[in-house]
């Protein structure tokens, strides 16, 4: 296990280093510097501005400085909001994004698992067809379409929840639902397949042969074994949610990272774009790592085989 | 002797998209207390389905017990509800499965898997169950039971796992033990150990045993009586001596002839030509007829009834009918039959 | 038993040699035939296939089915509601309606009229609740937009957008572009992925090792990040979107192909074939390709809808196609701008993109079931 973690960490560091390097050189090649909006400055003034952002140094030195700064959590200063640090901006906006993501993840996976479980227990029955159909719709229809439907019907027509903005828990309802539908559908389909496979396995027959009742067979023997592989989809789901928040936050005008990111793209605020991208990358890599470790903790086969 | 189990005219079918698969087509047999009955036959002959149906462990649907009675101590299991069956499974009747690699729950500690039945049926407390689990693990020959019971199945070797499976089956002292090819998936040396274990346990307990196998060598070793199944029916049933030294059915001849023997006077093994029929459309007449070199016209038209060879020995082949021509069984079989001194009349009475 | 006294004549031996003891009682079907039959039995997949055919046909011929051009702007006819002759009952009658509530009936009526600029000639008001029972008064106003603009001879089937462009034409043009992007991206994924995975698995050893390490590093990079960075470098357009989608998209295909070939390479039937002297080409043709092809097709079927989704997603975050080009993504994004008053602008592209996604997913599920050897009985 220890060796495995070390190996994973090494890969993680290489990947991050590559992404950071790539990001840095990208910034160098992109049109648009702090000067692009101020090209009427005199040469001296330009030099002052360049020096202020450290852009007068040779590229290798800039690269070195950038990396050192990154290690200290300093991702530069926004072009747009004068002198505001990218790190501060991200930290200011992380709250709503995390809240939406967590709510959607928890609601989506738990409801999805229940739906999949019902499907598997009533295999080939009406409930199964109903929930499978729901899952196909949830998996196929893009979250922004759901967002539109919710906004128009639940928000505008029925007026049950606020259509946009942020503040009370009511504001989180519609964006959470719009985000939760995809993980719900995926969890439901995955749970159904896994559960059906588990229920067909020999050890379930062994359990039944012991006289265990249906409830015990399903929950004591079935669900636990079906849940283990479900962990593998949690990573991709979390990453999907990251993609989802970019869109959903914009539709519902939620002041999160995603909304800021899109704004920055439209205003060519490269330090924020790059900083947020790096942040996403770190987040992504950490999620994958955590899921991997979680898998090891939950499955006794992996936990013990590698502990020995 | 007391009859523990009596199966009368049991039919089991599976409804598939292609139609009704008649896996078991009218099986009759009985089992006395403390007796071991072996059921032999090739893959797909319905032996596993027969025993799974006894415990109602076949998936229903698509499977169903179409007709017949399963009298266990006089109660008809075929008529019991799932709830009532749950009280019988594991307590009165229990089962040992074929593949120890897949028949244990990978995420549950071995001790808990054994204790589960105890807690359910005998309402034992946790500590009482624990000491019983240790006792059982010792019984099936697992060293260091106190630590082993806290481990997961993947920490056991195949043979050890099969011992655990046996322990699970024995937990509540069942009156009937069904072993579904318990040695097939194991290495030869381990096979012998598990067989020894099972014989040992038979001696210690008084339970009746049904032993499914396609290995005739195993049969001679453990069984009192043997039933030969083909295409969902029992084609011959009798004591071990009846079947091994005085077989009457051409299919039994084929099975015995295909068994390698160490006294290698007959060096050539016999192979039964062809493959078993498709039970989606069972053939008219004797299902074995297309593969039977002694087949007669009547085999094509009518299913043979069971003919009585002796008090203990019955076979379903028209060759036992009074009109049938005298047929010489294959050489190897004749040698066996010669060895059997107590030969009865060649022609049987009808039952 | 009914056969009590069987006829003595029947007890004659028959020759079994000439008959069918070796007969295999099931018809033999090739892998593809069998899969195809099972696919055809899958209702969901067939519905998906049918829907896809219709949608693709519409994407091809839809834009030329009326006289409007996708770029033809005319602010005089901006945001016209959809109108289809014969489908008035579905609400496609070219009207807008509103329900206004107020304390008094008069106030409600005034509000309702104000909502459509007091163009009273073309507004029909309808009192839903006159407020006499103490509740608020409710007035519904229905505004015939086409009549008010003197365009009664014209029909915009899906209505028009904020610049007066015909949405029917733009929706199908957009579908076409989205599909082209998705198909091309999927095709490139297949080519690169199969080649990479195939080479890696075929050569094995050190080559495989290096190629796999490379993939492992790439997999660590979130594709969202790569796509965004790529789009930032490249000029926005169809080509850059395709490049951005494929730059990491091929990885999953490469892994699947490699895994499958490695598995097959050592399987008994391949060894048996090799032992019998089969050439590499034959093994490749008869054993490897047929067994990998199913997986490739299934994976591609899942790639296409995800490419369509990603294209729409890029439009949403402002990295999509430049104006005035239409794709389903840009149309949906556009629709959100005026969702509250003119929901039809969002409705049609949203429905089309949802239908495409559902159709592809249904078909892909069906294919997966059909090709899955575990499903074979």
């Amino acid at each position: 296990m220890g060796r495995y973690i070390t190996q994973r960490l090494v890969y993680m560091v290489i990947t991050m280093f590559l992404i950071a390097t790539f990001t840095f050189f990208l910034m160098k090649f992109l049109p648009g510097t702090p000067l692009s909006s101020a090209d009427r400055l005199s040469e001296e003034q330009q030099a002052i501005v360049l020096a202020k952002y450290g852009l007068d140094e040779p590229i290798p030195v800039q690269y070195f400085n950038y990396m050192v700064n990154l290690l200290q959590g300093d991702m530069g200063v926004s072009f747009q909001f004068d002198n505001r640090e990218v790190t501060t901006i991200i930290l200011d906006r992380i709250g709503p994004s995390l809240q939406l993501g967590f709510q959607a993840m928890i609601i989506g996976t738990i409801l999805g698992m229940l739906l999949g479980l019902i499907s598997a227990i009533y295999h080939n029955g009406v409930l199964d067809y109903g929930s499978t159909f729901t899952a196909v719709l949830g998996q196929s229809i893009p979250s922004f379409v759901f967002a539109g439907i919710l906004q128009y019907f639940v928000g505008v027509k029925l007026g049950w929840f606020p259509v946009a903005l942020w503040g009370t828990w009511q504001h989180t309802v519609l964006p959470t639902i719009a985000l939760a539908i995809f993980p719900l559908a995926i969890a439901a389909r995955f749970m159904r397949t896994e559960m059906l496979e588990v229920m067909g396995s020999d050890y379930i027959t062994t359990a039944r042969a012991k006289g265990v009742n249906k409830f015990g067979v399903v929950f004591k023997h079935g669900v636990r074994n079906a849940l283990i592989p479900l962990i593998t989809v949690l990573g991709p789901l979390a990453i999907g949610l990251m993609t989802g928040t970019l869109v959903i936050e914009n539709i519902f005008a939620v002041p999160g990272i995603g909304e800021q990111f899109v704004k920055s793209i439209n205003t060519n605020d490269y330090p924020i774009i790059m900083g947020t991208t790096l942040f996403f990358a770190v987040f992504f890599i950490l999620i994958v790592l955590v899921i991997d470790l979680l898998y090891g903790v939950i499955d006794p086969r992996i936990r013990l085989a590698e502990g020995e | 002797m007391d009859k523990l189990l009596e199966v009368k005219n049991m039919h089991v079918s599976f409804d598939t998209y292609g139609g009704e698969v008649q896996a078991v087509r009218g099986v009759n047999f009985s089992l006395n207390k403390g007796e071991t009955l072996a059921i032999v036959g090739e893959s797909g002959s319905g032996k596993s389905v027969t025993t799974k149906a006894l415990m109602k462990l076949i998936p229903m649907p698509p499977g169903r017990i179409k007709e017949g009675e399963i009298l266990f101590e006089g109660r008809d299991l075929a008529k019991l509800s799932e709830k009532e069956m749950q009280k019988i499974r594991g307590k009165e009747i229990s089962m040992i499965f074929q593949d120890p690699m897949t028949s244990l729950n990978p995420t549950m500690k071995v001790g808990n898997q054994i204790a589960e039945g105890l807690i359910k049926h005998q309402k034992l407390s946790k500590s009482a169950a624990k000491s019983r689990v240790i006792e059982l693990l010792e019984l099936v020959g697992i060293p260091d039971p106190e630590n082993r019971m806290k481990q997961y199945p993947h920490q056991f070797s195949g043979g050890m796992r099969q011992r655990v499976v046996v322990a699970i089956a024995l937990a509540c002292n069942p009156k009937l033990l069904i072993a579904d090819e318990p040695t097939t998936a194991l290495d030869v040396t381990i096979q012998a150990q598990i067989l020894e274990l099972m014989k040992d346990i038979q001696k210690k307990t008084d339970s009746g045993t049904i032993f499914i196998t396609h290995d005739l060598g195993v049969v001679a070793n453990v069984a009192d009586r043997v039933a030969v199944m083909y295409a969902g029916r029992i084609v011959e049933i009798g004591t071990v001596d009846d079947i091994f030294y005085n077989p009457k059915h051409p299919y039994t001849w084929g099975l015995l002839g295909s068994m390698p023997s160490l006294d290698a006077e007959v060096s050539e093994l016999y192979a039964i030509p062809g493959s078993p029929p498709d039970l989606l459309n069972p053939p008219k007449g004797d299902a074995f007829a297309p593969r039977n070199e002694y087949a007669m016209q009547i085999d094509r038209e009518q299913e043979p009834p069971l003919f009585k060879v002796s008090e203990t020995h019955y076979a379903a082949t028209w060759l036992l009918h009074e009109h049938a021509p005298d047929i010489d069984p294959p050489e190897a079989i004749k040698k066996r039959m010669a060895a059997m001194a107590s030969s009865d009349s060649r022609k049987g009475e009808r039952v | 038993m009914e056969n009590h006294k069987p006829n003595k004549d029947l007890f004659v031996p028959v020759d079994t040699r000439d008959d069918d003891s070796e007969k295999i009682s099931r018809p033999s079907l090739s892998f593809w035939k069998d899969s195809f039959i099972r696919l055809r039995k899958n209702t969901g997949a067939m519905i998906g296939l049918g829907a896809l055919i219709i949608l693709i046909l519409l994407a091809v011929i839809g834009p030329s089915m009326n006289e409007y051009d996708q770029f033809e702007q005319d602010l005089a006819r901006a945001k016209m509601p959809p109108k289809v002759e014969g489908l008035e009952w579905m609400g496609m009658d070219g009207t807008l309606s509103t329900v206004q509530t107020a304390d008094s009936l008069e106030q409600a009526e005034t509000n309702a009229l104000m909502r459509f600029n007091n163009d009273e000639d073309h507004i029909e008001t309808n009192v839903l609740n006159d407020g006499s029972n103490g509740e608020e008064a409710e007035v519904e106003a229905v505004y015939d937009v086409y009549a008010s603009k003197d365009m009664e001879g014209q029909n915009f089937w899906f209505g028009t957008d904020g610049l007066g462009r015909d949405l029917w034409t733009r929706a199908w043009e957009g579908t076409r572009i989205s599909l082209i992007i998705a198909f091309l991206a999927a095709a490139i994924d297949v080519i690169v992925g199969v080649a990479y995975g195939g080479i890696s698995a075929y050569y094995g050893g050190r080559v495989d090792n290096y190629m796999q390490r490379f993939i492992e590093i790439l997999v660590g990079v979130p594709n969202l990040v790569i796509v965004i960075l790529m789009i930032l470098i490249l000029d926005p357009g169809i080509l850059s979107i395709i490049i951005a989608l494929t730059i990491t998209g091929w990885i999953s295909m490469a892994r699947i192909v490699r895994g499958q070939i490695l598995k097959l390479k050592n399987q008994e039937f391949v060894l048996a074939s090799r032992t019998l002297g089969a050439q590499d080409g034959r093994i490749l043709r008869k054993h490897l390709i047929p067994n990998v092809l199913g997986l490739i097709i299934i994976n591609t079927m899942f790639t296409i809808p995800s490419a369509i989704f990603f294209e729409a997603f890029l439009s949403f975050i402002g990295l999509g196609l430049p104006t005035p080009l239409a794709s389903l993504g840009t149309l949906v994004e556009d629709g959100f701008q005026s969702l509250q008053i003119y929901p039809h602008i969002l409705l049609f592209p949203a429905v089309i993109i949802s239908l495409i996604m559902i159709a592809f997913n249904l078909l892909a599920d069906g294919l997966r079931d059909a090709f899955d050897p575990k499903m074979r009985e």
Side-chain angles (χ1 to χ4, degrees), chain A residues 198 201-204 221 224-225 228 298-304, chain B residues 101-110 113 151-155 161:
Chain A
V198 166
S201 59
D202 289 351
Y203 54 84
I204 292 295
H221 294 269
R224 172 140 195 203
N225 285 290
I228 290 174
I298 289 187
D299 190 339
R301 280 162 294 191
I302 295 180
R303 187 200 328 152
L304 295 163
Chain B
M101 305 314 271
T102 57
S103 47
L104 292 172
N105 185 342
T107 57
M108 206 170 171
K109 284 176 186 157
V110 161
Q113 298 196 47
Q151 293 182 332
Y152 289 93
H154 72 269
Q155 291 163 294
R161 284 193 213 191

Side-chain angles (χ1 to χ4, degrees), chain B residues 72-111:
Chain B
F72 178 74
E73 295 187 311
R75 290 169 86 189
D76 186 1
L77 300 185
K79 292 200 176 64
L80 292 189
S81 71
E82 174 67 21
K83 269 246 146 61
E84 290 165 310
M85 276 312 291
Q86 280 165 11
K87 288 189 191 126
I88 290 183
R89 287 186 202 130
K91 188 181 178 204
E92 313 275 343
I93 309 179
S94 63
M95 194 152 183
I96 298 170
F97 293 93
Q98 178 172 352
D99 188 353
M101 305 314 271
T102 57
S103 47
L104 292 172
N105 185 342
T107 57
M108 206 170 171
K109 284 176 186 157
V110 161

